Amino acid sequence: MRSVINVVLVLLAVVMAYWLYSSIREPIAFKAEKEKRKDAVIDVLKKLQVAQDVHRLVTGKYAGNFDSLTYAIKNGKIENVKLEADPNDPTNQDKFIKSVSYFPALDSLYSLLGAPVNLDSLRYIPYGEGKIFDIAADTLRYQNTLVQVVQVGTRYKDFMGQFADPRYKKYDAFYDPDKQLKFGDMNSPNTNGNW
């Protein structure tokens, strides 16, 4: 009888130890996975932010879809204007020589990012299983001026996989699977990210 009680107590201790380990492991796994996935999404959003700026240099406006963004950067050219003092003007006043050159927008994007990037893959959300970032661009009257606005982003639930469930809020008070991770704003001329 005594050995049966000992075996039951040992089994109970093993079950309790496993339960304790599981209760500690889940929040740690959630936090690590959330940070890893969020960092990957932010990295792509930063590249898209630069790509939108290059698109604006080429076309004068932000891209409202990924096909337009890709096409303009692959095929567009950026104007480079250089003003120099006229060497024939001894006083160096009011006379300048204007020289204009053009260079490929794709080269500009590569130099700004510090490495080549596959433009066709920028539309896909990391860990999103084929989902595409939301993208929008328009013009807006802001403080009596017509300005270009852009917004690109995604919701946490689109890249968090198994952790997209709202029950994980118990491990992070600020976590909301419906919250957007984005840059830009359709209501003001702001291209900052919310990360």
Side-chain angles (χ1 to χ4, degrees):
M1 182 71 165
R2 185 176 219 183
S3 61
V4 171
I5 292 173
N6 285 341
V7 169
V8 169
L9 288 176
V10 168
L11 287 175
L12 186 60
V14 168
V15 168
M16 293 296 283
Y18 178 75
W19 178 78
L20 181 63
Y21 169 75
S22 294
S23 68
I24 294 171
R25 182 179 52 99
E26 188 176 66
I28 293 170
F30 167 72
K31 184 174 181 181
E33 195 65 21
K34 179 183 153 221
E35 292 305 315
K36 178 178 84 168
R37 290 174 183 237
K38 181 180 172 184
D39 289 345
V41 171
I42 289 172
D43 184 52
V44 174
L45 283 171
K46 286 179 179 179
K47 290 176 183 174
L48 282 167
Q49 199 172 23
V50 172
Q52 281 284 14
D53 288 338
V54 171
H55 183 278
R56 188 170 182 207
L57 285 173
V58 171
T59 66
K61 59 185 180 178
Y62 292 114
N65 61 63
F66 286 105
D67 293 334
S68 172
L69 180 70
T70 301
Y71 182 82
I73 292 176
K74 283 183 178 179
N75 301 307
K77 299 205 179 289
I78 297 176
E79 181 180 71
N80 183 24
V81 178
K82 187 175 182 182
L83 295 174
E84 296 176 346
D86 187 353
N88 298 326
D89 181 14
T91 62
N92 282 334
Q93 295 179 357
D94 301 331
K95 291 189 179 179
F96 295 95
I97 297 174
K98 178 180 176 180
S99 61
V100 179
S101 60
Y102 296 90
F103 53 94
L106 193 58
D107 291 349
S108 175
L109 180 67
Y110 289 169
S111 68
L112 289 170
L113 294 176
V117 63
N118 182 352
L119 286 172
D120 296 320
S121 68
L122 281 181
R123 68 183 69 203
Y124 298 105
I125 302 167
Y127 303 102
E129 299 173 0
K131 293 178 185 168
I132 296 175
F133 285 101
D134 297 325
I135 183 171
D138 203 355
T139 55
L140 172 73
R141 185 151 302 275
Y142 186 80
Q143 296 179 351
N144 296 326
T145 305
L146 198 61
V147 294
Q148 299 287 326
V149 291
V150 66
Q151 181 173 312
V152 180
T154 185
R155 299 193 184 288
Y156 277 83
K157 65 182 176 184
D158 291 335
F159 63 86
M160 284 302 292
Q162 72 181 28
F163 297 108
D165 193 320
R167 75 180 178 91
Y168 288 98
K169 287 182 183 183
K170 64 184 175 186
Y171 302 131
D172 183 349
F174 299 107
Y175 178 68
D176 180 4
D178 290 319
K179 182 180 173 188
Q180 270 200 324
L181 192 57
K182 67 177 180 114
F183 73 85
D185 190 343
M186 292 303 290
N187 299 313
S188 69
N190 174 7
T191 58
N192 294 333
N194 67 347
W195 48 84

